[in-house]
């Protein structure tokens, strides 16, 4: 597939009235429009079940989409020009008959890139792909975008992949994980593979362990119904956190191409030691938030959130210890944790290096700290390397100091949203940052025994106060290995 820089396109957003479309896709398309990155001939067709006119749809999404756009990027004239690209069509159900009405909205000669973005429940992906195919809407230059999570477990992921694969060729299928569109996540590859410094040290001889944290302040908001059937392991770990783990752990790919990168990521996923039986209790923690205080405000517990059953045992927090059985990573645990309603919104990867082999400063230490590399993904973006230096003065006293690469101050200008980058990639036909079917299935293969372990024991999740860093058991997971979670700052 050749990537053209600015092709004319029709983008069909199925689930156009939903949260994802309003809060992520339309704001990102607006920003691409504003920055001149979309072909003037590009059109967006929102599709959902409700009967609405285009005018009504434009009004309905204006508020919620505009709230997500940085204030300095939003101006009424540009917004008006943007919504002129935007049309609405009702499709009452996921059948070929329901989708045939779209034919007249799409370009007739098939020359444009045609993107079908499924921003719906994953259980509909198979039916929708067939409906789109059955309605005769798939052209040679068509692509379909599937949001995570692809399925609920391995079997449903395989079924979705198979059914979508009956309508679209694998190279037409773009499985999105928006973490791969984040600037610092892409920077991770540059850091590792464009600098000679790190790669020789990037292995068990020099790295003690790795921590990956994705903490959110938000609760489940108005997504209770989706979330309660999903939980943090499926919503975050199976995709975002495992993708981050893969980028830290994979071998250098031969080329910056989808196949090369995907092959290396799959090898990592396949080398993850399965967490089964008794290990589920030892190596995983699942918990649910109760009421508490976040950013100075009292907030409800998970059970009080709209759409959540009173006896729901869905986890909103997961911590776990992952181990990779290969030469590079033998004996180096990767600790992962993610949760909603935590103290701060912060996502970080921390690489903890080992102690120097022989310590000559023993008596005059000051605060000895082993080197650590911290890569912050959000809310701000930086890469910090904590090093020991001498405290100025007559005696030798050591002090840890950060070599700090702050990406916001180093590079002027706005950091694009993850979806901006990825939507543009789909339109341009560049699949490097998207997941292959085998990758998604390998991730489920590792996650599934954990889900089964939780299910067999009918584990009730532990509880943590909203606004905290999770339950005590999460600290205990680290303490058992004589380690502790790296302290995250606001
Ligand atoms: C989504 C999850 O994939 O990622 C949400 O479904 C979560 O539950 C979101 O809030 C977090 O994304 P970000 O970019 O805000 O870290």
């Amino acid at each position: 597939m050749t990537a053209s820089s600015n092709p004319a396109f029709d983008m069909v957003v199925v689930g156009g009235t939903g949260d994802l479309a309003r809060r992520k896709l339309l704001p990102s398309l607006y920003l691409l429009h504003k920055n001149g990155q979309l072909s003037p001939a590009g059109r967006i067709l929102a599709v959902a079940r409700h009967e609405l006119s285009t005018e009504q749809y434009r009004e309905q999404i204006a508020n919620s989409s505009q709230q997500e756009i940085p204030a300095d990027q939003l101006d009424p004239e540009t917004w008006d020009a943007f919504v002129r690209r935007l049309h609405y069509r009702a499709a009452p159900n996921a059948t070929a008959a329901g989708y045939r009405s779209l034919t007249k909205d799409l370009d007739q000669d098939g020359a444009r890139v045609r993107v079908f973005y499924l921003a719906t429940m994953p259980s509909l992906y198979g039916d929708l792909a067939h409906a789109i195919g059955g309605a005769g809407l798939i052209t040679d230059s068509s692509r379909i975008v599937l949001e995570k999570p692809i399925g609920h477990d391995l079997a449903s992921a395989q079924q979705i992949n198979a059914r979508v694969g009956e309508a679209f060729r694998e190279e037409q299928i773009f499985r999105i994980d928006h973490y791969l569109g984040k600037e610092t996540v892409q920077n991770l590859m540059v850091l590792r593979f464009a600098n000679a410094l790190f790669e020789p040290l990037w292995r068990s001889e020099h790295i003690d362990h790795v921590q990956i944290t994705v903490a959110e302040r938000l609760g489940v908001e108005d997504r209770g119904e989706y979330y309660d059937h999903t939980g943090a392991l499926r919503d975050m770990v199976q995709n975002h956190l495992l993708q981050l783990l893969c980028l830290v752990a994979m071998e250098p790919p031969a080329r910056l191409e989808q196949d090369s990168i995907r092959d290396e990521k799959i090898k990592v996923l396949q080398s993850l030691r399965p967490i089964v039986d008794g290990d589920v209790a030892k190596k995983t923690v699942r918990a649910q938030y109760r009421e508490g205080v976040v950013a100075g405000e009292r907030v409800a517990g998970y059970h009080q959130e709209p759409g959540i059953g009173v006896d729901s045992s869905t986890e909103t927090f997961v911590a776990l210890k992952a181990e990779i059985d290969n030469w590079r990573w033998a004996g180096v645990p990767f600790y992962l944790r993610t949760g909603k309603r935590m103290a701060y919104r912060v996502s970080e990867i921390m690489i903890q290096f080992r102690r120097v082999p022989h310590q000559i400063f023993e008596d005059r230490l000051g605060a000895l700290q082993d080197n650590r590399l911290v890569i912050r993904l959000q809310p701000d973006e930086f890469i910090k390397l904590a090093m020991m230096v001498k405290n100025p003065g007559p005696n030798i006293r050591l002090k840890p100091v950060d070599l700090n690469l702050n990406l916001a101050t180093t590079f002027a200008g706005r950091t694009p949203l993850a979806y901006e980058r990825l939507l543009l990639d789909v339109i341009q036909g560049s699949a490097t940052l998207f997941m292959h079917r085998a990758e998604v299935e390998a991730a489920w293969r590792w996650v599934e025994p954990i889900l089964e372990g939780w299910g067999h024991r009918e584990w009730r999740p532990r509880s943590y106060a909203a606004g905290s860093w999770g339950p005590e058991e999460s600290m205990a997971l680290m303490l058992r290995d004589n380690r502790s979670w790296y302290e995250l700052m606001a």
Side-chain angles (χ1 to χ4, degrees), residues 130-357:
H130 275 257
I132 291 164
L137 301 179
I138 305 177
T139 55
D140 253 3
S141 52
S142 286
R143 288 145 208 179
I144 188 165
V145 186
L146 308 180
E147 258 297 328
K148 50 97 349 208
I150 313 267
H152 201 67
D153 51 20
L154 178 60
S156 55
Q158 286 171 326
Q159 195 195 10
I160 291 172
N161 283 330
R163 289 205 70 218
V164 174
E166 284 156 13
F168 289 85
R169 299 189 306 276
E170 177 63 28
E171 67 270 23
Q172 293 181 300
I173 305 172
F174 286 62
R175 296 178 191 81
I176 210 162
D177 181 318
H178 78 277
Y179 268 56
L180 297 180
K182 291 184 191 279
E183 276 294 314
T184 327
V185 176
Q186 293 167 50
N187 227 327
L188 192 57
M189 275 204 284
V190 179
L191 186 76
R192 285 194 59 194
F193 305 129
N195 293 295
L197 208 61
F198 295 112
E199 208 41 35
L201 303 179
W202 211 260
R203 58 192 64 250
S204 60
E205 289 89 320
H206 303 288
I207 292 181
D208 179 73
H209 74 277
V210 175
Q211 297 185 16
I212 301 179
T213 302
V214 176
E216 295 185 86
R217 251 187 179 166
L218 291 178
V220 290
E221 309 298 293
D222 49 4
R223 298 163 71 225
E225 204 186 321
Y226 154 79
Y227 195 85
D228 208 33
H229 287 103
T230 309
L233 189 69
R234 291 184 173 97
D235 187 47
M236 299 294 287
V237 177
Q238 189 271 345
N239 32 78
H240 304 324
L241 276 90
L242 283 185
Q243 284 293 323
L244 296 180
L245 177 145
C246 284
L247 293 177
V248 174
M250 71 184 183
E251 295 300 316
R255 284 173 302 280
L256 192 63
E257 284 173 7
Q258 189 202 10
D259 285 352
S260 272
I261 296 173
R262 179 195 74 199
D263 289 351
E264 297 307 337
K265 287 200 287 181
I266 290 174
K267 278 190 227 158
V268 174
L269 292 167
Q270 289 172 340
S271 311
L272 280 170
R273 186 181 305 169
I275 300 184
V276 288
D277 305 327
D279 276 352
V280 178
K282 271 192 248 142
K283 295 184 182 169
T284 73
V285 176
R286 68 190 298 252
Q288 199 179 64
Y289 63 84
R290 56 177 190 273
E291 64 172 354
V293 177
V294 178
E297 266 186 44
R298 182 147 284 281
V299 297
Y302 183 66
H303 280 159
Q304 286 88 51
E305 302 278 18
I308 307 300
V310 278
D311 56 356
S312 163
S313 62
T314 301
E315 78 285 352
T316 60
F317 174 96
V318 176
L320 55 82
K321 176 180 175 179
E323 289 154 292
I324 302 173
D325 286 332
N326 65 17
W327 273 52
R328 189 188 279 262
W329 295 114
V332 182
F334 281 63
Y335 298 99
L336 315 184
R337 67 176 161 166
T338 181
K340 294 210 179 277
R341 285 285 188 232
M342 301 193 68
Y344 301 113
R345 174 176 185 249
V346 50
S347 300
E348 279 188 4
I349 299 170
M350 194 277 281
I351 317 282
Q352 178 66 62
F353 289 92
R354 292 192 192 280
R355 180 142 300 186
V356 291

Side-chain angles (χ1 to χ4, degrees), residues 9-26:
F9 66 90
D10 284 339
M11 181 172 297
V12 180
V13 180
V14 184
T17 50
D19 196 66
L20 176 68
R22 285 182 291 124
R23 292 190 35 227
K24 301 280 189 196
L25 306 183
L26 294 174

